[in-house]
Amino acid sequence: MLFKVYLTWVLATLSHANNHFYKGHELIRVLPKTNEHLRLIHHFEDNYGVDRWSEVLQVNRDIKMSLPRKQLPKIRKLCKQYGIDMKILNNNLEKLIQSSDDISKQHKTRTRRAIKHFTPPHLVDYLRYDQIVQFLNQQHRRSPTYRNFTSLFSIGTTHENRSIWTIRIGKPTARRNILMDCGIHAREFISPSTCLYMIDKLIEEVNNGRPSLLSVFNIYIIPLLNPDGYEYAQTERRMWRKNRSPNGIHYRSNCMGVDLNRNFGYHWMENGASMNPCSETYAGPHQDSEPETRSLQRFINQSPRSWDAYLTFHSYGQYWIYPWGFALHMPDDYRELNNKAVIGSEALKRVNGTLYKIGSAANLLYESAGGSDDWAKGVGQIKYVYTVELRPSDDMNDAHAHFAFMLPTTFIEPVGQETYAGVKEFLRSLIIPRKSKLLVKNQKTM
Ligand code: 0X9
Ligand code: ZN
């Protein structure tokens, strides 16, 4: 036991040792006013090592981007030349990451003290890959009364040979199927922690004899689809987004990694993706080139089951969005998708008052092709498909917006609670179809 505690501490300490890289990084805010400005921002992303943090890429909307300090003079010059309003928000990203880590550490100490020693680790830390595997095994062993209530299996392996673990939770007699994944993007730590939260709560309901939803649905949860990228973000580069594929074979590039959410083969590369291996939105050498992408597709296609819904959890921005991402037009059944998103996000809001916006990905954020959501609907033929962008909000006036991808661990529980409530209500609405009046096209709710 002592050894385990020590190991957890060592892992947590190591995971905070990666901030120095960001010492020479700046966080800036730009305000595009024309389409030409938007094109220029794409150009920054593709050629100057600029990493766009903001989800929304639209005229008259603030955009946050981080960049190595040495690129700042060039970016400043181009902004001036084209009349883009630019402001430095933070000139030491290392400090920003550190301040989030400090809050997380205090939170852990305080929680431990308050409840005398044992706190479930997944509520006070962003667990490392090995800890997540351990967590899944513990959860799998946790429901003795209902054997076969859970199963744990891998849907494939990554470049670095890590298994992509998946847990099924549901009564063996349940006939309908739901798929959820987390952690497609490495740096979005609040996403895997939210999947773990939901796994824990679903199994708790089983053990308490209240598994009503699980009599109807088998819920398959992949808590970490991109374990290589996640481990890299935990230990080396906190802001890493992609997987860890070596790109040298195709392009002799030293830059590693493919953006998995640009790699799915449905209208691939048509919009908002890059062919530059050094870009954060590199779509891969060809569509479906990545083991993580193919594992998910194989699992969706080959399972002898049909899927009612696919939900993929990202951060940040507080958006509950549906296809399409590749283009601005809507799927034929977008009203139904919108209605169910309203039901989910309203239940979510009831927990802590957190507001989500709803709409199609391309309309609400920006056009970008190759997302897992578009593939799940367009090729996987799943009706209810959503990307849920968790906290914080990207509204500059929101008190927590500055945390961006670095949400301290104090948020694990509130985000878990509200998301779980939203997902459950959404699932209930699939069982009991309700007539809703909220049928507004591309509606931005609340
Ligand atoms: O750009 C993305 O991949 C997602 N946002 S994130 O900040 N988490 O990276 C949004 C994906 C929305 N869906 C599609 N564009 N298909
Ligand atoms: Zn993401």
Side-chain angles (χ1 to χ4, degrees), residues 130-147:
D130 286 345
Q131 295 174 298
I132 291 178
V133 178
Q134 193 187 358
F135 171 93
L136 291 172
N137 279 289
Q138 283 163 355
Q139 294 290 341
H140 180 44
R141 285 194 300 264
R142 230 180 102 199
S143 46
T145 350
Y146 300 92
R147 279 197 199 93

Side-chain angles (χ1 to χ4, degrees), residues 47-304:
N47 299 289
Y48 295 99
V50 165
D51 179 7
R52 177 161 53 88
W53 287 16
S54 299
E55 295 265 22
V56 179
L57 183 59
Q58 281 169 14
V59 166
N60 289 326
R61 290 286 301 262
D62 280 316
I63 295 169
K64 265 192 213 165
M65 311 191 293
S66 77
L67 63 158
R69 188 163 300 150
K70 68 172 195 280
Q71 302 288 15
L72 190 63
K74 281 180 223 153
I75 300 293
R76 205 198 291 270
K77 194 173 158 207
L78 283 166
C79 284
K80 204 166 171 202
Q81 191 180 335
Y82 287 85
I84 302 184
D85 181 30
M86 188 206 108
K87 198 177 155 199
I88 295 177
L89 295 178
N90 190 297
N91 60 10
N92 189 351
L93 210 47
E94 183 193 22
K95 275 214 176 118
L96 201 65
I97 299 173
Q98 195 55 52
S99 68
S100 166
D101 286 352
D102 289 346
I103 300 173
S104 298
K105 272 187 209 147
Q106 285 165 13
H107 166 60
K108 193 163 155 180
T109 318
R110 241 184 288 122
T111 322
R112 286 250 159 89
R113 228 178 264 147
I115 48 178
K116 303 238 164 45
H117 302 308
F118 188 75
T119 323
H122 73 284
L123 299 181
V124 285
D125 272 320
Y126 291 121
L127 299 188
R128 297 283 302 276
Y129 173 75
D130 286 345
Q131 295 174 298
I132 291 178
V133 178
Q134 193 187 358
F135 171 93
L136 291 172
N137 279 289
Q138 283 163 355
Q139 294 290 341
H140 180 44
R141 285 194 300 264
R142 230 180 102 199
S143 46
T145 350
Y146 300 92
R147 279 197 199 93
N148 294 329
F149 225 112
T150 59
S151 34
L152 182 60
F153 54 94
S154 160
I155 59 162
T157 39
T158 64
H159 274 292
E160 293 176 355
N161 222 17
R162 290 191 179 86
S163 296
I164 303 170
W165 290 103
T166 305
I167 192 162
R168 178 195 59 82
I169 311 169
K171 273 193 172 172
T173 47
R175 285 285 157 263
R176 296 167 66 177
N177 301 292
I178 304 294
L179 180 59
M180 304 202 243
D181 70 36
C182 287
I184 283 189
H185 287 140
R187 63 192 176 190
E188 299 165 9
F189 287 7
I190 196 68
S191 161
S193 80
T194 301
C195 263
L196 300 185
Y197 185 95
M198 292 195 284
I199 292 169
D200 182 57
K201 288 295 165 195
L202 283 167
I203 294 180
E204 195 174 293
E205 301 213 2
V206 170
N207 284 342
N208 291 342
R210 289 188 272 103
S212 58
L213 278 172
L214 301 165
S215 311
V216 181
F217 297 114
N218 274 299
I219 304 181
Y220 292 79
I221 303 182
I222 309 168
L224 188 56
L225 192 71
N226 175 15
D228 295 354
Y230 181 76
E231 280 294 289
Y232 191 67
Q234 282 267 12
T235 55
E236 302 289 329
R237 301 274 155 90
R238 178 61 183 83
M239 289 300 132
W240 192 257
R241 167 181 166 98
K242 303 184 279 183
N243 74 352
R244 292 292 297 158
S245 287
N247 292 317
I249 323 154
H250 302 279
Y251 292 106
R252 301 209 179 142
S253 171
N254 288 331
C255 293
M256 289 181 73
V258 169
D259 182 352
L260 296 175
N261 225 28
R262 298 292 179 278
N263 188 241
F264 284 78
Y266 187 66
H267 295 267
W268 183 76
M269 268 309 294
E270 281 183 16
N271 255 318
S274 172
M275 282 310 277
N276 175 358
C278 298
S279 161
E280 289 298 336
T281 52
Y282 175 47
H286 52 84
Q287 66 178 44
D288 308 325
S289 57
E290 300 310 295
E292 298 85 352
T293 309
R294 286 199 303 271
S295 300
L296 186 68
Q297 294 174 340
R298 206 173 38 231
F299 182 57
I300 291 176
N301 280 336
Q302 290 179 358
S303 318

